[in-house]
Amino acid sequence: MTEEKTVLIVEDEKNIVDILRFNLERKGYRVLEAYDGEEGLRKARTEKPDLILLDIMLPKMIGFDVCEALRKDGDNVPILLLTAREEEDDKVRGLETGADDYITKPFSMREVIARVEANIRRTSMAAPAGAAADSAMPVAGDLSINTDSHQVFRAGKAIDLTQREYELLTFLASHPNKVYSRVDLMEQVWNYGYVGDDVRTVDVTVRRLREKIEENPASPQYILTRRGAGYYFAVN
Ligand code: CA
């Protein structure tokens, strides 16, 4: 009973699109293609894919701008950036523009499929418009979570989180005061069985999450750092 999921590939190199399409279709995904940033943005808006594989260096509009435009729309579709190996700064910049993750070129198809599966929405998250804060569960302070609609509220006001930010928050909040290392979080929240230097992803996601849920992100009250150990959700 699995509903067919749609992956949009935004990439200007035809041979990369072809190999991605072949492997994704073999796994049962419906695949859409776009060969420049503008076409990618248009298709993302009209076709509402379940996940986007987004190259950074694209004609007409670069991947960062596509990502940023979608997040400004309030679209929380999982976005995996395709980056070239030497562009280390791009990874951080990509995550800061709201991407969920990145895949470094040249990539193995096994890695791509694993990341797509780990990032794709497992269920349709179509939250009813204006889901009530009333039915949200208080978590700590003025923070509450509605696990049916996957919405987070602060002082009754909905906060717009990406899927990954939501999962990180709910994971930490459901284990209050327990410290998790970045490697733990990579495994538990990102579902990756390997990590390498990707733990940087955790730091950036924590920072973005703090900017959204904390009153003062520089002096957080919910998601705290235990130096040298990891992160935890603080409840007194
Ligand atoms: Ca390119």
Side-chain angles (χ1 to χ4, degrees):
M1 274 275 313
T2 49
E3 188 198 335
E4 190 180 58
K5 300 288 186 187
T6 301
V7 175
L8 170 62
I9 304 169
V10 189
E11 163 68 76
D12 57 325
E13 284 171 67
K14 178 90 169 77
N15 58 331
I16 295 181
V17 174
D18 288 345
I19 186 95
L20 286 170
R21 167 188 278 281
F22 174 77
N23 283 278
L24 287 165
E25 284 182 344
R26 236 173 37 147
K27 284 283 175 183
Y29 293 104
R30 178 172 163 254
V31 175
L32 301 171
E33 302 168 359
Y35 290 89
D36 65 62
E38 284 177 9
E39 187 190 4
L41 181 58
R42 193 168 57 244
K43 285 197 173 164
R45 283 172 169 161
T46 55
E47 305 282 339
K48 297 279 164 212
D50 296 288
L51 182 139
I52 301 174
L53 288 172
L54 181 61
D55 185 30
I56 292 177
M57 298 311 292
L58 287 166
K60 293 188 184 172
M61 186 176 189
I62 62 168
F64 295 133
D65 293 345
V66 174
C67 187
E68 212 160 24
L70 287 170
R71 295 307 185 225
K72 272 203 188 110
D73 288 351
D75 190 334
N76 287 325
V77 58
I79 296 175
L80 309 196
L81 289 175
L82 305 174
T83 78
R85 189 174 288 283
E86 59 273 20
E87 298 162 354
E88 185 65 32
D89 289 348
D90 280 0
K91 296 178 181 175
V92 173
R93 185 171 163 204
L95 294 166
E96 280 169 348
T97 60
D100 293 273
D101 204 354
Y102 50 81
I103 297 168
T104 306
K105 292 180 187 177
F107 44 74
S108 76
M109 276 321 303
R110 239 186 92 176
E111 181 189 6
V112 173
I113 297 293
R115 297 227 171 184
V116 166
E117 287 177 343
N119 279 280
I120 207 157
R121 286 158 199 251
R122 281 175 290 272
T123 53
S124 164
M125 300 300 176
D134 316 344
S135 51
M137 245 170 15
V139 181
D142 55 2
L143 212 59
S144 59
I145 299 176
N146 184 329
T147 53
D148 291 329
S149 66
H150 282 223
Q151 279 182 303
V152 175
F153 301 87
R154 201 179 76 194
K157 252 188 80 185
I159 302 171
D160 210 15
L161 300 181
T162 65
Q163 174 72 0
R164 191 60 75 199
E165 289 160 2
Y166 171 82
E167 285 174 1
L168 177 62
L169 175 63
T170 50
F171 178 78
L172 289 172
S174 59
H175 304 85
N177 296 325
K178 182 165 165 43
V179 179
Y180 287 93
S181 72
R182 296 183 296 175
V183 172
D184 289 341
L185 291 171
M186 222 51 229
E187 288 174 0
Q188 299 288 329
V189 179
W190 274 258
N191 301 318
Y192 295 161
Y194 62 97
V195 283
D197 59 357
D198 294 349
V199 289
R200 189 80 179 80
T201 304
V202 177
D203 297 334
V204 177
T205 308
V206 165
R207 190 163 78 232
R208 287 179 52 82
L209 189 52
R210 281 175 175 159
E211 280 164 9
K212 293 180 180 182
I213 68 169
E214 303 281 358
E215 198 166 340
N216 179 3
S219 172
Q221 66 174 119
Y222 298 119
I223 298 185
L224 304 192
T225 305
R226 174 75 36 86
R227 204 161 292 284
Y231 298 107
Y232 65 104
F233 189 88
V235 175
N236 326 334

